[in-house]
Amino acid sequence: ERAGFRCELCGKRPTDQDGEMLHVDHALSVYDAEQLGISPGVYNSKENLIATCGECNAGKGKTSINPVLYFALVHARSLHDA
């Protein structure tokens, strides 16, 4: 709902007709969180979760999203919540 029912990486809005659904994924990967010493509580917080379409979720794999994109998402969310 926070993402407006759109993929936060590409903006695609899955429809019932195409059978696509959104996935919840971590913006910062488990590996990167561990390397940075980030606790599981922070890693699993809603701020680190993103809505992705199947294509972006598969393309992202187990990597983190680009840090610039991450901070853009955080900024956009703060404007939306204001």
Side-chain angles (χ1 to χ4, degrees), residues 76-82:
R77 288 174 181 170
S78 69
L79 293 175
H80 181 266
D81 293 340

Side-chain angles (χ1 to χ4, degrees), residues 18-60:
D18 63 18
E20 180 75 32
M21 58 187 244
L22 290 174
H23 303 264
V24 177
D25 197 3
H26 292 93
L28 180 66
S29 71
V30 174
Y31 175 79
D32 289 341
E34 288 174 352
Q35 296 300 308
L36 295 169
I38 296 173
S39 72
V42 173
Y43 168 76
N44 288 314
S45 69
K46 67 180 182 178
E47 288 79 15
N48 191 43
L49 299 177
I50 56 174
T52 59
C53 66
E55 187 175 338
C56 287
N57 189 37
K60 181 183 161 297

